[in-house]
Short mmCIF file of all heavy atoms in Angstrom, two decimals:
data_model
loop_
_atom_site.label_atom_id
_atom_site.label_comp_id
_atom_site.label_asym_id
_atom_site.label_seq_id
_atom_site.Cartn_x
_atom_site.Cartn_y
_atom_site.Cartn_z
N TRP K 431 -19.64 67.60 -48.73
CA TRP K 431 -18.28 67.54 -48.23
C TRP K 431 -17.55 68.86 -48.36
O TRP K 431 -16.52 69.11 -47.71
CB TRP K 431 -17.52 66.38 -48.93
CG TRP K 431 -17.44 66.55 -50.43
CD1 TRP K 431 -18.35 66.01 -51.28
CD2 TRP K 431 -16.47 67.23 -51.18
NE1 TRP K 431 -17.96 66.35 -52.60
CE2 TRP K 431 -16.83 67.10 -52.54
CE3 TRP K 431 -15.33 67.95 -50.86
CZ2 TRP K 431 -16.08 67.65 -53.56
CZ3 TRP K 431 -14.59 68.51 -51.85
CH2 TRP K 431 -14.94 68.38 -53.21
N ASN K 432 -17.98 69.67 -49.27
CA ASN K 432 -17.29 70.98 -49.54
C ASN K 432 -17.92 72.11 -48.75
O ASN K 432 -17.56 73.26 -48.95
CB ASN K 432 -17.29 71.33 -51.01
CG ASN K 432 -16.17 72.25 -51.37
OD1 ASN K 432 -15.17 72.37 -50.69
ND2 ASN K 432 -16.37 72.94 -52.53
N GLU K 433 -18.85 71.85 -47.89
CA GLU K 433 -19.46 72.82 -46.94
C GLU K 433 -19.95 74.05 -47.68
O GLU K 433 -19.60 75.20 -47.37
CB GLU K 433 -18.39 73.21 -45.92
CG GLU K 433 -17.88 72.03 -45.08
CD GLU K 433 -16.63 72.33 -44.22
OE1 GLU K 433 -15.62 72.66 -44.87
OE2 GLU K 433 -16.71 72.26 -43.04
N THR K 434 -20.86 73.80 -48.60
CA THR K 434 -21.43 74.87 -49.37
C THR K 434 -22.77 75.33 -48.89
O THR K 434 -23.17 76.47 -49.11
CB THR K 434 -21.52 74.50 -50.86
OG1 THR K 434 -22.38 73.33 -50.94
CG2 THR K 434 -20.18 74.17 -51.46
N THR K 435 -23.55 74.39 -48.27
CA THR K 435 -24.91 74.69 -47.91
C THR K 435 -25.11 74.58 -46.41
O THR K 435 -25.09 73.49 -45.79
CB THR K 435 -25.87 73.65 -48.58
OG1 THR K 435 -25.61 73.68 -50.01
CG2 THR K 435 -27.31 74.03 -48.29
N ASN K 436 -25.33 75.72 -45.74
CA ASN K 436 -25.57 75.80 -44.34
C ASN K 436 -27.00 75.37 -44.01
O ASN K 436 -27.95 76.01 -44.45
CB ASN K 436 -25.36 77.25 -43.83
CG ASN K 436 -25.55 77.40 -42.34
OD1 ASN K 436 -25.74 76.43 -41.63
ND2 ASN K 436 -25.60 78.65 -41.88
N VAL K 437 -27.15 74.25 -43.25
CA VAL K 437 -28.46 73.71 -43.01
C VAL K 437 -28.86 73.93 -41.53
O VAL K 437 -29.75 73.25 -40.99
CB VAL K 437 -28.61 72.23 -43.39
CG1 VAL K 437 -28.45 72.05 -44.90
CG2 VAL K 437 -27.55 71.37 -42.62
N ALA K 438 -28.21 74.92 -40.86
CA ALA K 438 -28.49 75.12 -39.44
C ALA K 438 -29.94 75.42 -39.19
O ALA K 438 -30.55 75.01 -38.13
CB ALA K 438 -27.60 76.24 -38.92
N GLY K 439 -30.62 76.16 -40.04
CA GLY K 439 -31.99 76.56 -39.86
C GLY K 439 -32.97 75.37 -39.87
O GLY K 439 -34.05 75.43 -39.32
N SER K 440 -32.54 74.29 -40.48
CA SER K 440 -33.40 73.08 -40.55
C SER K 440 -33.22 72.12 -39.39
O SER K 440 -33.97 71.13 -39.28
CB SER K 440 -33.16 72.35 -41.89
OG SER K 440 -33.33 73.19 -42.99
N HIS K 441 -32.22 72.36 -38.57
CA HIS K 441 -31.94 71.42 -37.48
C HIS K 441 -31.65 72.20 -36.17
O HIS K 441 -30.54 72.13 -35.62
CB HIS K 441 -30.75 70.54 -37.83
CG HIS K 441 -30.93 69.75 -39.10
ND1 HIS K 441 -31.50 68.51 -39.13
CD2 HIS K 441 -30.55 70.08 -40.36
CE1 HIS K 441 -31.56 68.08 -40.40
NE2 HIS K 441 -30.94 69.00 -41.16
N PRO K 442 -32.62 72.95 -35.67
CA PRO K 442 -32.40 73.81 -34.50
C PRO K 442 -31.94 73.10 -33.27
O PRO K 442 -31.11 73.56 -32.52
CB PRO K 442 -33.72 74.54 -34.33
CG PRO K 442 -34.73 73.65 -34.95
CD PRO K 442 -33.99 73.06 -36.15
N GLU K 443 -32.53 71.92 -32.97
CA GLU K 443 -32.17 71.19 -31.80
C GLU K 443 -30.74 70.69 -31.85
O GLU K 443 -29.98 70.78 -30.86
CB GLU K 443 -33.11 70.00 -31.55
CG GLU K 443 -34.53 70.43 -31.22
CD GLU K 443 -35.44 69.22 -30.94
OE1 GLU K 443 -34.91 68.11 -30.87
OE2 GLU K 443 -36.65 69.46 -30.76
N LEU K 444 -30.30 70.14 -32.97
CA LEU K 444 -28.93 69.65 -33.13
C LEU K 444 -27.94 70.84 -33.04
O LEU K 444 -26.88 70.71 -32.38
CB LEU K 444 -28.80 68.96 -34.49
CG LEU K 444 -27.39 68.41 -34.77
CD1 LEU K 444 -26.99 67.38 -33.80
CD2 LEU K 444 -27.35 67.86 -36.23
#
Side-chain angles (χ1 to χ4, degrees):
W431 58 269
N432 203 22
E433 301 168 297
T434 60
T435 305
N436 179 11
V437 295
S440 304
H441 303 273
E443 291 184 7
L444 180 62

